[in-house]
Each structure stands twice: as C-alpha cells, then as structure tokens.
Amino acid sequence: MRTQVGIVGAGPAGLLLSHLLHLHGIESVVVESRSRQYVEERVRAGLLEQMTADLLVETGVGARLQREGLVHHGIFLRFGGRSHRIDFDELAGGHTVVIYPQNKVVADLFDARLNAGGQIFFEAQETSIHDFAEAGPGSSLKPKIRFREHGESREIVCDLIAGCDGFHGICRPSIPRDRLAIFDRIYPFGWLGILAEAPPSSPELVYAYHERGFALLSMRSPHLGRLYIQCAPDEDIEKWPDERIWAELHARLATSDGKWTLAEGPVVQKGVTGMRSFVTEPMQCGRLFLAGDAAHIVPPTGAKGLNLAVADVRVLARAIAEYYATGKEGLLQSYSRICLRRVWKVQRFSWWMTSMLHLFETDNAFDRRRQLAELDYVASSRAASQTLAENYVGLPMEWDPPK
Ligand code: FAS
Ligand code: PHB
C-alpha cells in the first residue's frame, strides 16, 4: 500500500503525529506491535505540561482532559520532615501542569484517529524499515515499512517514516551505527510504583528526600493515588507485599510535626522501572525521523518523558506540513537540531531533580549534607525555586536551531 507518512508505534508520539498530520490534510498509516487494549492499559506517565495539555485541547482531542484533568499550581518538596511549596503562579508566570494519565491520552487519540478514518495496524509482527537512509532530495528511493499482520505480509511505501516505537523499538537500531552517537547514563536505582484506590493525601505532588530513599506522592484522580519509592534497579517486586510498600511510604513521606497522615487503600497495580538518561544524535537519518522514547529517555523525576515526546512531534508535524505545502526541506533538515536543543535542557533538568532527591550508594555524609543544602537553597531562594518551577511547567518552545 502507499501513503505519505508511515509511522511505527502507536504510543503518544505516533498517535499525536498521525492526528496533527491529519489536521494538515496529510495521510499517514500507523503500525503498532501490540493491541489497542494493551497500549491503553499500560501504566505510564501521569503529568502533562501546560503546553501539552493546550495542544491536545487546541487540536480537538482535549474534551475529556478538560473535564477530568486535575490542574495543579504547584508541587511540594519535603525534606527534614518539613514541606516547602513551589508556587507556579508566583514563580512560573501562572503556568500550570495537569494530572491526566497517559492511558487516557492515548485512548483519546485512538478515538480521534479511528473516528476520522485513520489507518492503524495493530499486533503487527516482524516490523522492519527499508530504503530510508539514502532517500531524500535527488533520490528516487521510497522508504518502506514491512510487517506481518494476521500471518499476511504487508508493505507500506511512503515518502517519510516516523520512528515512534519507543526505546525498545526497531527504528533507532535500523540506522547504520556509524550515523548515530549515543549518550547514555544508567542510574543505580529504580522506582517501585503503585496505583492505590485511596484519596491522595496531598492536594499537589510531594517529592520527598529521606535517609531511607526518595518517595513521590502523585495521583491519577481524586480517588486514585500514584506513589513511588526509590528502590534497587533490579528490585524483585515479589518481595514487596503491600504492607511493606505502605510502611516505606509512611516513613519517607512523614512530617516531623506528625500532623500529616498518608491514606492507604487497595493496591491495584505495582511495578518496578529502571532509570536512565539516554539521547540519540541525530534524531533523523535520510527520510527516517525519530520522535519520543525512540530517540531519548529521561528519568521520570522531572515528569518529562511524555511531554518531550509531544514536543518532538509538534516540531515534526510542522516540518512535514511545510514540506508538503511548499516542497521546502528546511524545517525537515533542522528537525533534529531543533528537538535536541530542548531534549538536552530537559535531560539536564531531569538529571538535576534526580540527583538532588535520590540517595546514591557511592555518596558519603558530605554528599548527604550537600543534597540537603541544595534542597534548602531551592526552597528558600526565589531565584532557585524559579528555575525549578519554569522547567517543571515546561520551557517555551524554541524553533531556531542552536547558533
Ligand atoms: P511509547 O513507548 O509510549 O510507545 C511506543 C509504541 O511503539 C508502543 O505502543 C509499542 O508497543 C510500539 N512498538 C514498539 N516496538 C514496535 C515495533 N517493532 N513495531 C511496531 N510498534 C512497536 N513519563 C513521564 O513523564 N512520567 C512517568 O511517570 C513515566 N512513567 C513511565 C513508566 C514506565 C514503565 C515507562 C516504560 C515509561 C514511563 N514514562 C513516564 C515515559 C513514558 O511515558 C514515555 O515517555 C512515553 O510513553 C513516550 O511515548 P512514545 O515515544 O510514544 O513511546
Ligand atoms: C506520575 O504521576 O506518574 C508522576 C508524576 C511526576 C513525576 C513522575 C511520575 O515526576
């Protein structure tokens, strides 16, 4: 079959790209290795930058987000048994973040694409991509996506391929190794996360630094909590009955005045995720363009993974629209440099939040005091708290490639 843009992966990056292209009258076909149900049920991100939420609303897929999303105007840092609020209204020009689970983002996008007649192949197997590296201006090569669906071999011939297939996908590895530079840092810890049917015990997120390890109180709705504790990167979840998880959460989130209590409830999901910072340079090769986790991974401490994927897609959709409208390649050729400018700033912020809030086994007593001093500085200095706030709500888009 023939289409304009072939998209590998129906996560938030692939689905949003297909949606934005559709709004520009550009046809795309999405190839996804899992079922729609599997993709929608994966427990992933939960926090949208205001710019992400605004884009979903402005492009007609934000009605449920507007009804159900929880708008937050700040977060709490908790250390030394005391809470310190980072006020976005005061420090980040009134920008906010919205609690709205990735499950619902992808469900809303699936509905929009399928209701608009969009083509998505689910449970595609043995996906491969071809003839993209040398395709482009002056070349007659046409990029192709090949896969098997219900036992039948299929091929999509397209002008451009978007690699939105996540960190473990096939697109990035399909780029010749000598055409890529990889930047990677693996952290010596992970997060053990739970979904609990209990009303969140704080109106906003609580990031806690504690001598037993980091903890985060987040949420999915007024009735569903999302909580995390720092753990070993290869932690065996079977050794963590609910009681043990709650005991750690009580200990790490406690306030010294003893006035704050953590509401417990049935744990409906639990899991361990590793943490890494990972960047691919460049994010394109010929007529293949990587977006989202296919190109980069951030530690979740800054709540940036999903939001960075959206920022990539915003640039890629504009570049592809310019190409089809004018034949100009400018934005397409600058795609990677524009995205990487944001990617590295978000990597820095995510690394900074992770390094400030987590215990590192290689650290000593000096480092513990240094971390506490950094938290005290952030909590007591307007300048320092403003840097956290402006990064957390989302930096403005920069459309010019770095000088
Ligand atoms: P995704 O991985 O979401 O989507 C890629 C899609 O490609 C998937 O549907 C996959 O099935 C498909 N695919 C893979 N290989 C394929 C192939 N060969 N052929 C066809 N399709 C293929 N971010 C946050 O901001 N906050 C969080 O709390 C947070 N928690 C996370 C927890 C976990 C366990 C993980 C893994 C990630 C978490 N993230 C979090 C990051 C996450 O939300 C990603 O940033 C986000 O899903 C990125 O979206 P995509 O780039 O679309 O990649
Ligand atoms: C979440 O709600 O899953 C979440 C929120 C903030 C983070 C990480 C995860 O920094």
Side-chain angles (χ1 to χ4, degrees):
M1 71 187 298
R2 182 78 178 76
T3 190
Q4 290 174 295
V5 181
I7 300 174
V8 183
L15 289 171
L16 180 58
L17 177 63
S18 182
H19 174 62
L20 295 180
L21 293 177
H22 171 69
L23 298 181
H24 284 288
I26 297 166
E27 186 191 71
S28 64
V29 174
V30 182
V31 177
E32 164 60 46
S33 58
R34 299 286 190 166
S35 67
R36 170 173 180 175
Q37 181 184 357
Y38 182 94
V39 177
E40 285 188 7
E41 290 179 355
R42 263 188 321 223
V43 178
R44 288 270 182 95
L47 186 143
L48 307 182
E49 292 174 351
Q50 182 168 330
M51 195 164 51
T52 297
D54 290 349
L55 179 65
L56 295 172
V57 171
E58 288 156 11
T59 60
V61 289
R64 183 164 59 154
L65 163 60
Q66 286 181 301
R67 290 196 309 273
E68 299 179 13
L70 304 175
V71 178
H72 283 194
H73 296 258
I75 58 168
F76 291 97
L77 296 178
R78 189 168 289 175
F79 57 95
R82 293 182 59 225
S83 289
H84 307 264
R85 185 163 183 268
I86 303 294
D87 183 335
F88 299 153
D89 293 340
E90 183 190 336
L91 299 165
H95 289 290
T96 59
V97 294
V98 182
I99 297 294
Y100 189 71
Q102 179 170 322
N103 316 69
K104 292 185 178 179
V105 173
V106 295
D108 297 340
L109 286 165
F110 274 133
D111 286 344
R113 289 305 301 125
L114 296 173
N115 293 339
Q119 183 145 24
I120 304 175
F121 287 98
F122 291 103
E123 297 180 295
Q125 299 307 310
E126 301 165 35
T127 309
S128 59
I129 57 176
H130 308 271
D131 299 335
F132 58 86
E134 306 314 322
S139 163
S140 60
L141 275 176
K142 283 293 178 194
K144 299 168 189 68
I145 303 173
R146 294 186 184 127
F147 59 97
R148 293 179 63 77
E149 187 220 13
H150 302 321
E152 191 178 334
S153 295
R154 292 189 178 276
E155 179 179 85
I156 300 172
V157 180
C158 44
D159 301 326
L160 311 163
I161 297 177
C164 303
D165 51 348
F167 185 68
H168 299 291
I170 54 97
C171 287
R172 185 185 67 248
S174 300
I175 297 175
R177 195 68 189 81
D178 61 353
R179 306 249 314 239
L180 279 186
I182 300 288
F183 303 84
D184 196 9
R185 167 190 282 266
I186 295 177
Y187 294 89
F189 41 74
W191 279 9
L192 188 159
I194 63 170
L195 273 180
E197 288 174 346
S201 302
S202 170
E204 294 168 333
L205 272 60
V206 180
Y207 289 78
Y209 174 89
H210 191 275
E211 61 187 18
R212 295 176 69 90
F214 168 80
L216 169 62
L217 179 153
S218 183
M219 58 201 76
R220 288 290 178 273
S221 78
H223 315 290
L224 194 60
R226 177 67 167 157
L227 301 107
Y228 301 92
I229 54 172
Q230 175 184 346
C231 65
D234 56 354
E235 194 71 51
D236 179 356
I237 193 70
E238 298 308 317
K239 293 181 178 170
W240 284 85
D242 298 354
E243 302 69 35
R244 185 183 176 195
I245 299 172
W246 285 116
E248 276 305 320
L249 285 164
H250 283 292
R252 298 184 190 191
L253 288 164
T255 54
S256 44
D257 63 10
K259 290 179 180 172
W260 183 81
T261 56
L262 174 64
E264 296 189 13
V267 174
V268 294
Q269 190 271 347
K270 64 172 93 167
V272 174
T273 50
M275 295 178 80
R276 76 191 306 159
S277 297
F278 179 94
V279 179
T280 307
E281 287 191 10
M283 291 171 49
Q284 63 192 93
C285 177
R287 284 302 198 223
L288 171 65
F289 300 85
L290 302 178
D293 278 18
H296 40 68
I297 293 287
V298 285
T301 326
K304 292 302 177 192
L306 172 57
N307 294 293
L308 203 48
V310 169
D312 292 345
V313 161
R314 186 196 290 268
V315 178
L316 186 53
R318 182 183 287 193
I320 293 174
E322 178 192 75
Y323 168 69
Y324 280 111
T326 67
K328 289 181 182 168
E329 298 261 347
L331 257 184
L332 267 187
Q333 295 311 319
S334 301
Y335 165 71
S336 177
R337 286 185 299 135
I338 293 169
C339 288
L340 284 170
R341 188 172 187 192
R342 184 182 192 86
V343 166
W344 278 111
K345 287 179 179 171
V346 168
Q347 287 286 357
R348 181 212 67 84
F349 173 68
S350 304
W351 163 85
W352 175 67
M353 286 284 279
T354 302
S355 303
M356 177 169 66
L357 287 160
H358 289 74
L359 302 187
F360 288 72
E361 281 183 352
T362 51
D363 280 357
N364 61 23
F366 168 83
D367 297 301
R368 299 280 189 270
R369 289 287 192 276
R370 172 185 50 76
Q371 285 177 309
L372 283 167
E374 182 155 29
L375 285 160
D376 185 20
Y377 172 55
V378 170
S380 58
S381 155
R382 179 182 174 80
S385 51
Q386 196 159 27
T387 65
L388 191 162
E390 72 171 0
N391 280 278
Y392 196 89
V393 300
L395 296 175
M397 283 297 290
E398 292 169 301
W399 290 95
D400 302 324
K403 302 285 183 281

